[in-house]
Amino acid sequence: MEKATREFFDKRGPVVVKNLRKHHFEAYYCATKAEALSQVLALMPAGSTVGWGGAISAAQVGVQEAVHAGDYKVIDRDQFSDPAEKLRCMRECFNADFFITGANAISLDGQMVNIDGNGNRVAAIVYGPRQVIVVAGMNKVEDTLEAAINRARTVAAPLNEQRFGHPNPCAATGSCADCKSETSICNQILITRHSRGHRIKFVLVGEDLGL
């Protein structure tokens, strides 16, 4: 990473953490992926049930690999090829002690934006798992809530569609068309602005992570 980008993230990160805490989120800034992994694991006691959804950034940090290797009860839909088993895991995550996810965007003033197709990820953020841990790179931070929503819709969603390959306009053009496709992955748009009881925890990472 370029020195200027590192310094930019290191200066901006504590500002976002301060503002997230004003919104009753528990929040931490870690300069590197290694520091972020240590912080995430420190939040989850041994023996906890852990699941995840939409967590590319966490995977890049090494969280899922560490959870599988650690003393945790793991809910991992990717271990199954059968759609029914995958759906069972997605539902089982609602009873997990910890649900790990990413963020499509975060506003500088401490609000999070996520877009979902199936809805399991945003549903778990809202209610169900006892605690939620959001792992996000500083590239997800935008100056305003409006800019964060725009990033989620016009950057994160088209990028994710390149992975999924549905017959949606953004898969072909790379640009949001505000489509009404049956296979749209932009079915729910969630703004999370407060967290009761510090249930939602952020581990921000001073690197480019996720989509």
Side-chain angles (χ1 to χ4, degrees), residues 14 16-17 25 28 39 45 65-66 74 94 107 125 128-129 139 147 157 161 163 181 199-200 202-203:
V16 185
V17 165
F25 300 106
Y28 306 88
Q39 181 61 70
E65 182 179 353
V74 183
F94 293 126
S107 63
I125 291 171
N139 55 303
E161 191 54 273
R163 294 192 298 128
S181 300
R199 172 179 169 267
I200 301 175
F202 284 84
V203 177

Side-chain angles (χ1 to χ4, degrees), residues 16-211:
V16 185
V17 165
K18 180 180 178 181
N19 289 332
L20 285 167
R21 289 173 178 170
K22 288 180 180 178
H23 287 263
H24 314 293
F25 300 106
E26 190 173 328
Y28 306 88
Y29 176 71
C30 300
T32 66
K33 291 194 287 286
E35 292 175 20
L37 177 59
S38 295
Q39 181 61 70
V40 171
L41 295 178
L43 293 171
M44 301 188 298
S48 299
T49 301
V50 182
W52 49 78
I56 294 176
S57 297
Q60 291 173 326
V61 166
V63 174
Q64 286 89 325
E65 182 179 353
V67 167
H68 273 294
D71 184 15
Y72 300 101
K73 300 170 186 175
V74 183
I75 305 169
D76 185 358
R77 69 186 184 192
D78 293 329
Q79 290 185 317
F80 301 97
S81 57
D82 179 59
E85 285 297 318
K86 285 181 176 287
L87 180 60
R88 179 188 63 78
C89 284
M90 289 162 65
R91 294 185 180 279
E92 192 176 344
C93 280
F94 293 126
N95 291 318
D97 296 315
F98 291 91
F99 182 78
I100 299 167
T101 187
N104 292 138
I106 300 169
S107 63
L108 191 63
D109 70 351
Q111 302 182 70
M112 175 171 62
V113 180
N114 282 290
I115 285 184
D116 216 351
N118 293 323
N120 62 294
R121 181 171 64 105
V122 296
I125 291 171
V126 172
Y127 188 81
R130 290 167 183 81
Q131 298 187 62
V132 174
I133 298 176
V134 179
V135 180
M138 284 297 296
N139 55 303
K140 301 294 184 72
V141 176
E142 297 286 349
D143 284 345
T144 66
L145 178 60
E146 291 73 18
I149 295 170
N150 186 65
R151 184 193 191 280
R153 296 204 66 183
T154 66
V155 177
L159 279 172
N160 274 303
E161 191 54 273
Q162 304 311 306
R163 294 192 298 128
F164 300 139
H166 298 130
N168 297 329
C170 66
T173 67
S175 299
C176 178
D178 193 25
C179 75
K180 308 298 185 295
S181 300
E182 178 67 25
T183 54
S184 172
I185 63 170
C186 299
N187 296 327
Q188 294 86 23
I189 302 176
L190 173 67
I191 298 172
T192 307
R193 58 182 298 272
H194 279 162
S195 174
R196 288 186 177 178
H198 305 284
R199 172 179 169 267
I200 301 175
K201 309 173 192 309
F202 284 84
V203 177
L204 299 180
V205 190
E207 301 193 27
D208 279 328
L209 295 176
L211 300 175

